[in-house]
Amino acid sequence: NSGFPLLFNPDTMSLNAAIESLLESSERLKFVTTTLGSEGSIMMRKVHPDEAMKSKCIISEGPLLPSHSTWPPPAQCRECDIKYDMVLCPAWPLESNDIVDSTGAGDAFIGGMLYGLLNEFPVEKMMVLASRIAAVKLTKPGARLGLLLKSQVEPYLL
C-alpha cells in the first residue's frame, strides 16, 4: 500500500521519492507498484531515457484510462535524465454503497498483477485488470468470496 514506501524511507519528502528509493535499493528491481486505495495505483519502473515515452499501451475499452508521467518531472529538473516511467491507474469505479468489505482487496490486486506479469501483458492492461479484480472483491464479504473466475473477466482485459 502507499504507506510502505514511506515507511521504507521515512526521510523522503513524497511518495514518488520513497518509491524511487525502493527502486534504487536493488539493481534487480525493475518496478515498484503501490495501491492508493480509492485513488487507484501507481507503478514506477526503471527506464532508459530514450525509451521513457515510447512503449505505451492504449486501452480503448472500459472505464479506466491509465496515464503516464516521468520521474523526476522534467519541469523540476531540466538537466536531469528521466530515470523512471510512472503509470497511474485510477481505481475501478464503484459506488460507495457497493463496497462491502476491503478484506483481501490488496491480495486480489496483486493476483491480477501476477496474472498480467505471467502472461506478459502491457503494464497498463495489467494494472487495469488488477484494479478490476480488486474492485469486484470489494463488493463481497471475506477474503475469497468476491474473487473473479477467469470466465467472469471482461475479454478485453485478457
Side-chain angles (χ1 to χ4, degrees), residues 64-104:
L64 299 186
L65 295 173
S67 62
H68 283 263
S69 182
T70 58
W71 183 259
Q76 282 187 357
C77 183
R78 296 186 193 284
E79 295 81 35
C80 298
D81 285 336
I82 294 170
K83 293 170 51 176
Y84 305 102
D85 177 43
M86 292 176 38
V87 182
L88 302 111
C89 184
W92 196 272
L94 285 178
E95 296 296 324
S96 60
N97 59 344
D98 291 337
I99 298 172
V100 173
D101 186 359
S102 64
T103 303

Side-chain angles (χ1 to χ4, degrees), residues 3 7 19 22 41-42 46 76 78 104 108 120 122 137 140 142 146 150 158:
L7 290 172
I19 294 172
L22 273 168
S41 58
I42 183 171
K46 294 178 180 177
Q76 282 187 357
R78 296 186 193 284
E120 299 180 359
K137 166 50 217 90
K140 305 287 185 206
K150 186 177 176 182
L158 300 174

Side-chain angles (χ1 to χ4, degrees), residues 101-143:
D101 186 359
S102 64
T103 303
D107 294 333
F109 181 89
I110 291 168
M113 294 289 289
L114 289 171
Y115 183 88
L117 281 170
L118 291 171
N119 287 282
E120 299 180 359
F121 284 4
V123 169
E124 299 85 352
K125 184 175 180 178
M126 176 175 38
M127 292 177 76
V128 171
L129 173 64
S131 180
R132 176 68 174 136
I133 292 169
V136 172
K137 166 50 217 90
L138 288 168
T139 66
K140 305 287 185 206

